Amino acid sequence: MLQTKINPEGKTVFISGSNRGIGKAIAVELLEQGAKKVYAGARNTSSLDDLKVKYGDKLVPVELDVTDDNSINEAAAQIKDVDILVNNAGVFATGGIFSEQAFDSLDTNLKVNLWGVIKLTNAVIEQLKQPKETAIINISSVAGLANMPMAATYSVSKSALHSLTQGMRGELVNSNVLVMGVYPGPIDTDMAKGLPMEKDSPENVAKNIVKGLIEGKDDVYPDVMSTQVGALYAEDPKSVEDNFGKYV
Ligand SMILES: NC(=O)c1ccc[n+]([C@@H]2O[C@H](COP(=O)([O-])OP(=O)(O)OC[C@H]3O[C@@H](n4cnc5c(N)ncnc54)[C@H](OP(=O)(O)O)[C@@H]3O)[C@@H](O)[C@H]2O)c1
């Protein structure tokens, strides 16, 4: 198996959901570490104004809603020579498996967190199959490693994304495409606003993702909580399920 290591210097990047939270922090970190250009996906491109002012021509706003096939195709047609695709856009719809909102909530989570990723990646994959090293980075969650009942349908979507990531890696095993799965714990963004837990920063997550690219890592646990969960998962996956079961 090839081990693909990626230095961000001079690279062209496409990020979904780059206007806030973890996606914005990844855009900033890659540009600060020498990326040539970031195609910054956002549903509303005016939400990228501050990044545009700061980074000028290096930041190219791209309108993108990952639940809309036309939007995906139009976005993919605008971007060129992408070296790194970051599937970051995500939603956190709550609802237990036996709750009234179970099906709506699962549908919402799957549309963005799973279907959005497979559709966007398929729209861009030919650009990534190059003789040079390229990467696909999928932002899953520790909740994709074992189900967290307080976020049961979200966990299902992130677990499906974990499997999708493994499948992409398998199909691309003899290529120069690094397929990285990222498994954050609670991070201080709008998404986790209501969660009464200690949270790491999106900037730390972004730094560890870029470190993972440079080291050619398949799996990245980018924050304090996920580093502990990742170690436990490697040793005893059932105990991760047992621990997450306490978050009801
Ligand atoms: N925060 C955490 O604790 C945590 C933990 C583990 C994993 N994650 C994952 O990390 C990723 C980023 O989350 P975050 O914490 O940065 O959340 P966030 O601050 O809520 O940002 C979510 C981003 O996704 C975009 N988005 C949502 N639906 C979209 C759609 N249909 N099409 C395109 N973009 C869409 C949002 O765009 P708008 O501004 O237009 O809504 C926003 O840019 C997600 O995949 C999330 O599941 C987060």
Side-chain angles (χ1 to χ4, degrees):
M1 197 196 292
L2 301 169
Q3 197 198 12
T4 304
K5 299 182 179 187
I6 314 260
N7 181 335
E9 229 175 295
K11 297 293 188 292
T12 298
V13 185
F14 181 27
I15 309 174
S16 64
S18 59
N19 54 308
R20 58 192 173 101
I22 293 171
K24 182 177 185 178
I26 295 171
V28 169
E29 185 64 26
L30 284 166
L31 286 165
E32 294 296 329
Q33 294 217 27
K36 183 167 74 181
K37 188 186 282 184
V38 167
Y39 288 107
R43 287 193 286 193
N44 172 0
T45 50
S46 67
S47 58
L48 294 161
D49 285 354
D50 59 334
L51 286 179
K52 183 73 195 151
V53 166
K54 186 158 181 207
Y55 293 105
D57 290 347
K58 287 183 169 183
L59 190 116
V60 181
V62 176
E63 198 173 312
L64 174 66
D65 180 338
V66 299
T67 63
D68 176 341
D69 292 359
N70 288 332
S71 172
I72 288 176
N73 292 334
E74 279 168 22
Q78 281 172 55
I79 65 167
K80 268 197 202 86
D81 303 325
V82 167
D83 302 300
I84 303 171
L85 168 67
V86 187
N87 284 305
N88 164 77
V91 288
F92 178 79
T94 52
I97 289 159
F98 302 114
S99 69
E100 236 174 68
Q101 67 270 39
F103 301 110
D104 283 349
S105 131
L106 182 58
D107 192 44
T108 302
N109 284 321
L110 287 175
K111 272 192 181 128
V112 181
N113 302 344
L114 181 70
W115 287 106
V117 175
I118 191 168
K119 287 180 178 181
L120 188 63
T121 308
N122 268 293
V124 176
I125 190 66
E126 289 311 317
Q127 297 193 35
L128 293 168
K129 285 186 185 164
Q130 303 288 341
K132 61 187 177 181
E133 285 80 23
T134 62
I136 298 167
I137 302 177
N138 292 339
I139 313 294
S140 179
S141 165
V142 288
L145 301 173
N147 199 285
M148 219 177 248
M150 64 169 265
T153 62
Y154 174 77
S155 285
V156 171
S157 71
K158 290 296 187 177
S159 178
L161 176 56
H162 172 47
S163 180
L164 185 73
T165 303
Q166 292 174 325
M168 288 178 179
R169 192 177 296 129
E171 289 194 31
L172 294 168
V173 71
N174 292 317
S175 73
N176 287 329
V177 187
L178 170 71
V179 180
M180 180 193 289
V182 181
Y183 302 89
I187 309 301
D188 194 7
T189 67
D190 295 338
M191 183 177 283
K193 227 181 219 160
L195 296 180
M197 297 169 158
E198 252 183 64
K199 293 165 204 161
D200 210 326
S201 69
E203 290 74 22
N204 197 31
V205 171
K207 276 196 177 15
N208 283 316
I209 290 172
V210 175
K211 187 165 175 270
L213 273 178
I214 293 166
E215 292 172 356
K217 288 258 173 73
D218 283 353
D219 305 315
V220 170
Y221 300 96
D223 56 276
V224 175
M225 192 254 218
S226 66
T227 304
Q228 293 165 359
V229 172
L232 192 59
Y233 184 71
E235 206 175 281
D236 182 6
K238 186 73 184 165
S239 70
V240 178
E241 180 188 333
D242 292 344
N243 274 310
F244 284 1
K246 292 172 194 155
Y247 297 103
V248 188

